[in-house]
Amino acid sequence: DGGITQSPKYLFRKEGQNVTLSCEQNLNHDAMYWYRQDPGQGLRLIYYSQIVNDFQKGDIAEGYSVSREKKESFPLTVTSAQKNPTAFYLCASSLRHGNSPLHFGNGTRLTVT
Amino acid sequence: DAKTTQPNSMESNEEEPVHLPCNHSTISGTDYIHWYRQLPSQGPEYVIHGLTSNVNNRMASLAIAEDRKSSTLILHRATLRDAAVYYCILRDSGGTSYGKLTFGQGTILTVHP
């Protein structure tokens, strides 16, 4: 079955460490996205990529970095510069057209202590 | 970015219809109206989308006002599995920002047995 895989489901890190969240899709989608969700809140866009080797900052990109070397992969690195990294991180993908829906993974819950 | 406004919460009884409203008074002509829903600790799930005409699919119906400044997601017979947070969002189909998708707070739907 086609879909988006985020791993791991739960991740624990010590403060000051960088951590990379994985996102893989086999839907042949050009566009991929990273969102952050805090308890009781909506989703906030971190980064998005419309094509391989290209990506744009979203609304809350500070303290995060991404790469898009392959169409099917869009890893997100949470750096030590991110002040409040503990959150639920969601990856999504879509075709590039505005009328195409987003397909989401089941998220990675990151806890930094 | 065009914004949407939704009620914070709504309640329904099982097997009754549910009408979830969304206001988007600053919608542009190239914006598609998308609806997603999210269960706790899961990624959002696509429900339906439309541009100008009303839309139906197996999950729901989408009624779009003639001036496109508002829309309503209709669940014809609510079930307990429909209890979720529902997000109404606008997706630009043109320009340079068509990849950027901004989520609001959403509507928490409670379904009573």
Side-chain angles (χ1 to χ4, degrees):
Chain A
D1 287 339
I4 296 186
T5 302
Q6 290 188 245
S7 60
K9 188 170 179 63
Y10 298 95
L11 193 53
F12 298 89
R13 281 293 183 270
K14 294 289 188 184
E15 193 173 326
Q17 294 179 333
N18 290 355
V19 59
T20 297
L21 281 59
S22 170
C23 178
E24 303 279 332
Q25 54 98 0
N26 60 4
L27 299 168
N28 200 33
H29 287 165
D30 284 313
M32 296 188 75
Y33 314 80
W34 274 106
Y35 289 90
R36 169 186 173 135
Q37 187 172 37
D38 293 288
Q41 303 296 311
L43 282 69
R44 292 186 290 169
L45 182 63
I46 304 173
Y47 269 98
Y48 63 106
S49 168
Q50 296 168 4
I51 199 167
V52 174
N53 292 323
D54 185 53
F55 48 83
Q56 287 79 39
K57 293 182 179 180
D59 300 315
I60 55 165
E62 186 175 350
Y64 299 97
S65 66
V66 294
S67 63
R68 187 83 188 279
E69 297 176 1
K70 297 187 297 183
K71 187 176 185 177
E72 56 272 18
S73 178
F74 191 41
L76 173 74
T77 297
V78 184
T79 75
S80 57
Q82 167 52 231
K83 301 291 184 212
N84 298 295
T86 295
F88 188 46
Y89 290 88
L90 288 157
C91 178
S93 73
S94 75
L95 296 172
R96 293 178 67 188
H97 310 293
N99 64 346
S100 63
L102 266 64
H103 296 253
F104 282 86
N106 278 326
T108 292
R109 190 167 298 279
L110 173 65
T111 302
V112 177
T113 59
Chain B
D1 295 330
K3 290 188 175 180
T4 62
T5 304
Q6 299 176 253
N8 289 333
S9 62
M10 292 187 66
E11 297 186 18
S12 174
N13 294 318
E14 202 173 8
E15 298 194 4
E16 290 184 355
V18 181
H19 291 232
L20 297 166
C22 181
N23 288 318
H24 27 80
S25 58
T26 59
I27 190 170
S28 73
T30 54
D31 284 334
Y32 281 83
I33 302 160
H34 286 240
W35 283 83
Y36 293 80
R37 69 182 185 183
Q38 185 180 24
L39 296 173
S41 298
Q42 293 187 21
E45 174 190 30
Y46 165 78
V47 177
I48 200 166
H49 76 276
L51 184 64
T52 56
S53 303
N54 294 345
V55 184
N56 299 296
N57 66 19
R58 64 175 179 81
M59 292 179 70
S61 296
L62 176 60
I64 301 173
E66 197 168 335
D67 63 4
R68 299 210 326 127
K69 294 184 184 297
S70 66
S71 61
T72 302
L73 178 70
I74 303 166
L75 306 178
H76 295 286
R77 290 182 64 191
T79 70
L80 297 178
R81 287 174 296 189
D82 291 323
V85 179
Y86 286 79
Y87 296 100
C88 165
I89 57 177
L90 302 180
R91 186 167 189 201
D92 186 7
S93 63
T96 60
S97 64
Y98 66 84
K100 188 175 179 181
L101 205 55
T102 301
F103 283 72
Q105 298 296 321
T107 296
I108 300 171
L109 176 64
T110 301
V111 180
H112 299 289

